[in-house]
Structure formats: structure tokens, C-alpha cells
Amino acid sequence: MVRQAFISLVMYSQHVSKASLPMQIPPITNILMILAVITIFYAWFGVVLFNQTDEGATAFPTLMEGSWSLWIMVTTANYPDVMMPAYNENRVMALFFISYMLISFFYLMNLVLAVACNSYDESIAGRRKYREDLAKDLLTKAFELLDHEKKGTISKETVMDVMLILNQDVPEIHRLTNDEKSIFFALMDKDGSSMIDLEDLKLADEYITFIEAYLPSIYHSQWYQRFCNVVKSRNFETFVDVILVLNAAIIAIQDYPLLSGEEAQINEKFYNGHIDTIWEALEALFTVLYAIEALLKIIVYGWKKYTESGRNLYDFVITILAVFASFYVYTPNDFSNSNLIRIIVMARVLRLGRLLFAMESFRIIGAISVDIIPAARSVFTVLLFISYFFSWLGNVAFGGLISRDPKDPVAFVLLEAEDYVSNDYWANNFNDMLSGMNVLFNLIVVNNWTECAQGFEFVTGQKWVVRAFFFCFHVLAVVGLSNVVTSFIINAFFQQMKTIEQRKGSR
């Protein structure tokens, strides 16, 4: 947070007047609201997941205490201490805490910095306008080049020739058969004259659904058009949102005893693999409704246009997860794990995130996030390679030294490392690759890494060798790549913000 404040202060003093400072408040507030929603959800999940465990008693006894523990985690003041009770019992539990840190600390905190920088970029508006005008001008020039006789129209033969040229470079065109290319032109040629004008050419950006391409008689029928209008209407979205709120209310009523810290009465019927309570029947009904919603939208919009929307893709993934998990639990088999049922319930609550995307500001942030992730692959690949290499190196140098085996004399030496032992860091070791990767992730978070290093200093007796190992990783991964990630997110944010604004302007 000091870094964000320092950069904001420098930029403020050099580039803008005091009147522009309040402009940062709304976008930063939006990100902090997203962080609050994510924190509350993770706290809710933690209360349910760690119920009647040491982790639940210390960090997640109630929803409020769980939220507070996670907020401290964002500041790195209690990481990895907060996760050690659960991690020592089951290493898979590390995914809960690591995923939260990736979202909150590594992404959203850096996104705050990106938004602050974006507020000071006064040239964005002018550059955006220039690019919008350039896109329109290039489209017009392309049409003029194809319109050799200056008639204001281009023929089907010309369009087919262009498609032949683009066939080698554009995958979407390469996959089309000649008949499909003819259908594509026919959709632009509204009057059936085998000629299109500039406005018709703009239809090339639109997507063709399966019904439109292969069942045109149904597509042009009045009843199907009315059906499409209903699915595309705001009323349909409102109806789905109401279902989501009702679903969340039912889940909240079921989990209220746990969330409030009360001792919940266990109903065995919830864990027998059968739908034999009113609550389970309602949850099954909600799952069916969500599946119908996704199916209707795919029919009306087409798969490609449907999946281009981050909101739709988010809904689809969660719905598929709920459907398959429900089938797995409720169909006859030897498995009826109650924890999986609870996770299904929490997965459905994730769909409430779509309500945030109903607002323009949150929708922009969501779109930017989806666009940044593929572009960040190269940076995170390098970080993964460095972590993997150091995990392998640690496994060679320190593998098997951390042990609680009473027959191992080194185990008694480790007891002298008071900070390591008192923090219960036994599972933080290099005995295997996954454990080593977790230790290195703790170093990237930059908290309590000295206590972790202390344990290896005692068991090896080579203090400076251990310190050199941890120092080298810190320089490469934390000082080097972490700052690269920060600058990358800032630059990517600027670029995606411009792209989104251009898309909005071209509509």
C-alpha cells in the first residue's frame, strides 16, 4: 500500500491539480468493493469448510472473524501462519489460501495501482477518439478499394475473392466451406441483389447462430423472433437475478447457524445422497433453471457470441460444475460426501457475482480482467519456471531434512529453531516438489520467510548456504518478477481500457 501511495503522490504533484484527485475515488472504490465481496465469500466458504477443525476455531469461527483473518492476510501480516493448522492436516487446503492471495494480494492490489495511474493519463480520451476514427476510416477505404467502379456497392464475386485471399490468414474463414461462405454473404445481402453496400459490410462483425444458418424458416418465423426478444430482454435477466437472490437467501438460511458461530444440528438426510428434503428439492430446481437459462441463451445468441461475454462464460462454468457435481452425488453410487454437497452449494452462490457485472463499471473491470489473463501467460510462465527450478534445487539440497520422526536425530536439532517450531511450520519443507513450491510461494508473499529459513539453517548447519538460497530466490522472483508483474498489469490495463472504449464507440 505504501508503494501505491508513493506513486500516486509523485504523479499527483507532477501532472495534475488537486481537483483531479477525487476522480480516482470511484474506480478504486469499485475494486475495493469487489475485494470485499470476494473476502466475504471466502470467509463464508472458510466457515463451512473448516467447521469443527482447529483452523475453523482459530481463523474462521464466524463470518466476521473469518473476514478479518482474510483482510489481515491481504496485508501479509499473518501469512502463512493463518493456514498452517489446515495445511498441516491436508496440503490440499493450501489451494484455498493461495487462490485468495492470488486474487486479492497479487491481482486486486496491483489493479488499484493501475486504476490510480489510469486516472492521470489525460491523453486517453484523445487517443481513443483517434483510434475510433481510424477504424471507421480504414473500413471505408477498404470498401472503396473493392468498389472499383465507384457504384457504392460490391458484388458477391468480389467478396468471395477476398475470402479466398484471407483463407490462409484468418482461421474463422479458413474453416468455412464454400456453401457456408455463400450463406455468410447472403446474410449481409439483405435485399437479395447479390450486391452489398458499406452498411451491409459492417454486418461482417455480427455472428450467425445455428438456427439462422441451417434453419432459416424457423429463424424468420414470428414465434421464434418473439422467443428471441424475450430471451434478450432485460426482463429475462431480471427474472434470472431474482432466482439467484432467492437461491442465495435459501443457502444463507441453511448456513446461518454456522456463520453466526452457533452449534449446528446435523441432518443426516442432507448427506445420504438422496433428494429427500425440501431444501435439496429447491436446490435441484435452481440447478435445472440455471441449465435451462444457459441453453436458451446459447440457442438465441449462438455459442461463439455467448462465450464472448465474460458474464455468460462465468454463468456457464458454474452451472456445468453444479450440474455434474449434483449428478455425481445424487445418482446411485458409493459416494455421497457431504463436503462435496456443501461445495456445490457454495459454487452456486458464486453465480451472485453476475449481479456485479450488471453495472457498467464492474462489467468493464471484469472484461479487462478476462483480457489480461491470457496476455499475462508469458510472465507467469517465467515465474513458474523459476519456482520449479528452486523447488527442485531445494529438494536436492534440503529434501528429507525436515522430519518429525523420533528416530531421526535431525528432528531433535530442529526443535532448537524456536520460531520455526512455535509457528508449526513442519509442513513447510522441500521433501517433495509440491511442498517446495508452497515454501517458495510463501517467499513471494514476503512474510515470515525468515522463520521458515531458520528451520533449514538448524538442520543443515550451513547458515550462509541456506541464506544464499533464499536470497537468490527473493531477488529473482520478488524483487525482479513481482515488479515486472506490477508494471505489466498497469500497461495491460491501459491497453485493454482503450480497446473496450473503442468497442463501445463503434456500437
Side-chain angles (χ1 to χ4, degrees):
M1 295 304 293
V2 174
R3 179 174 58 184
Q4 283 93 328
F6 175 76
I7 294 179
S8 297
L9 181 62
V10 171
M11 296 182 69
Y12 170 78
S13 62
Q14 293 181 348
H15 298 289
V16 298
S17 65
K18 293 182 179 180
S20 65
L21 187 59
M23 295 174 59
Q24 299 181 45
I25 296 176
I28 292 178
T29 301
N30 291 334
I31 296 174
L32 294 179
M33 286 177 64
I34 293 176
L35 176 60
V37 171
I38 292 173
T39 300
I40 292 172
F41 169 76
Y42 267 84
W44 186 343
F45 198 101
V47 170
V48 175
L49 185 63
F50 302 121
N51 181 41
Q52 298 181 347
T53 65
D54 291 340
E55 183 73 40
T58 56
F60 297 94
T62 66
L63 181 64
M64 293 298 294
E65 290 292 336
S67 300
W68 180 248
S69 297
L70 291 173
W71 171 248
I72 297 175
M73 217 166 99
V74 175
T75 68
T76 72
N78 65 349
Y79 192 90
D81 303 55
V82 67
M83 81 170 188
M84 294 315 299
Y87 183 62
N88 283 321
E89 292 295 325
N90 189 340
R91 287 187 299 168
V92 175
M93 293 298 108
L95 296 177
F96 173 86
F97 299 91
I98 290 175
S99 63
Y100 177 77
M101 289 297 285
L102 288 173
I103 295 171
S104 61
F105 179 74
F106 284 100
Y107 179 65
L108 289 178
M109 288 296 99
N110 284 318
L111 193 59
V112 170
L113 176 61
V115 169
C117 293
N118 183 65
S119 299
Y120 291 97
D121 192 352
E122 298 179 1
S123 64
I124 282 183
R127 294 168 65 182
R128 183 192 314 138
K129 181 67 167 58
Y130 168 76
R131 292 190 177 188
E132 290 175 353
D133 293 341
L134 179 62
K136 294 178 181 178
D137 183 57
L138 291 175
L139 181 60
T140 302
K141 288 182 177 179
F143 183 85
E144 292 175 350
L145 289 173
L146 296 174
D147 181 19
H148 303 290
E149 300 179 1
K150 308 302 179 184
K151 294 181 177 180
T153 58
I154 53 178
S155 65
K156 178 180 179 179
E157 290 74 15
T158 301
V159 174
M160 293 297 112
D161 291 341
V162 171
M163 286 188 176
L164 182 62
I165 296 173
L166 298 177
N167 191 57
Q168 303 300 321
D169 302 317
V170 182
E172 288 81 359
I173 294 179
H174 179 72
R175 288 193 293 265
L176 294 177
T177 65
N178 290 332
D179 290 340
E180 288 173 332
K181 292 176 182 178
S182 298
I183 293 174
F184 182 74
F185 179 84
L187 292 171
M188 291 189 292
D189 181 19
K190 297 298 182 181
D191 58 4
S193 63
S194 296
M195 305 290 287
I196 60 173
D197 57 20
L198 181 59
E199 295 301 318
D200 293 332
L201 185 62
K202 294 179 180 179
L203 294 175
D205 290 333
E206 298 183 359
Y207 295 113
I208 305 171
T209 66
F210 178 86
I211 301 295
E212 185 177 4
Y214 297 100
L215 301 171
S217 60
I218 295 178
Y219 177 80
H220 293 289
S221 64
Q222 293 184 355
W223 68 268
Y224 184 79
Q225 290 301 317
R226 287 195 296 267
F227 166 74
C228 292
N229 291 336
V230 169
V231 175
K232 294 178 181 180
S233 68
R234 179 57 196 164
N235 290 336
F236 183 81
E237 294 295 333
T238 303
F239 175 73
V240 175
D241 292 342
V242 170
I243 292 176
L244 281 171
V245 173
L246 290 175
N247 194 182
I250 291 174
I251 294 172
I253 293 172
Q254 288 179 280
D255 288 343
Y256 177 76
L258 286 176
L259 297 176
S260 60
E262 300 177 7
E263 185 175 352
Q265 297 295 325
I266 304 299
N267 187 343
E268 296 296 334
K269 290 184 177 181
F270 287 121
Y271 311 121
N272 60 11
H274 301 289
I275 304 176
D276 49 10
T277 67
I278 183 64
W279 301 109
E280 291 175 305
L282 287 173
E283 288 298 335
L285 175 61
F286 286 132
T287 300
V288 172
L289 291 175
Y290 297 148
I292 292 175
E293 174 215 356
L295 180 61
L296 293 180
K297 286 187 174 180
I298 292 173
I299 292 174
V300 171
Y301 291 104
W303 174 253
K304 187 171 184 179
K305 186 173 183 179
Y306 175 83
T307 54
E308 272 197 350
S309 169
R311 180 180 177 182
N312 288 338
L313 192 59
Y314 176 82
D315 286 349
F316 183 78
V317 171
I318 298 301
T319 299
I320 291 297
L321 174 64
V323 169
F324 277 95
S326 296
F327 269 108
Y328 186 57
V329 172
Y330 291 127
T331 52
N333 57 64
D334 295 332
F335 182 85
S336 59
N337 190 316
S338 61
N339 288 327
L340 181 58
I341 297 175
R342 288 188 177 188
I343 292 173
I344 295 169
V345 173
M346 299 306 296
R348 297 207 186 110
V349 174
L350 276 173
R351 283 176 56 93
L352 282 173
R354 61 174 276 145
L355 298 179
L356 292 175
F357 295 108
M359 293 177 281
E360 180 68 19
S361 56
F362 290 107
R363 195 155 55 240
I364 291 176
I365 293 174
I368 291 173
S369 301
V370 171
D371 289 339
I372 285 177
I373 291 173
R377 187 180 306 165
S378 58
V379 177
F380 283 102
T381 299
V382 175
L383 182 60
L384 179 63
F385 171 78
I386 292 176
S387 299
Y388 187 88
F389 173 77
F390 272 84
S391 180
W392 168 80
L393 193 61
N395 182 258
V396 172
F398 313 125
L401 295 180
I402 303 295
S403 172
R404 304 177 78 168
D405 186 357
K407 298 180 181 180
D408 187 353
V410 179
F412 293 96
V413 175
L414 186 61
L415 294 176
E416 300 177 17
E418 296 181 0
D419 291 338
Y420 186 93
V421 175
S422 62
N423 284 327
D424 205 16
Y425 276 10
W426 298 94
N428 282 339
N429 54 61
F430 286 96
N431 293 348
D432 55 72
M433 292 296 293
L434 292 178
S435 295
M437 294 288 282
N438 181 70
V439 172
L440 297 175
F441 185 82
N442 296 344
L443 266 67
I444 294 175
V445 175
V446 195
N447 193 58
N448 289 356
W449 68 273
T450 52
E451 286 86 343
C452 189
Q454 182 192 64
F456 294 98
E457 292 177 10
F458 274 83
V459 296
T460 61
Q462 302 291 329
K463 180 171 63 176
W464 290 108
V465 173
V466 173
R467 291 183 177 180
F469 174 85
F470 282 85
F471 174 79
C472 291
F473 182 79
H474 183 88
V475 170
L476 288 173
V478 181
V479 177
L481 276 179
S482 289
N483 284 306
V484 171
V485 170
T486 301
S487 61
F488 176 85
I489 290 178
I490 293 174
N491 292 331
F493 179 87
F494 288 153
Q495 294 299 323
Q496 298 303 331
M497 192 71 180
K498 296 169 187 174
T499 302
I500 288 174
E501 293 298 334
Q502 289 175 352
R503 292 172 184 169
K504 289 170 58 180
S506 61
R507 291 174 183 171

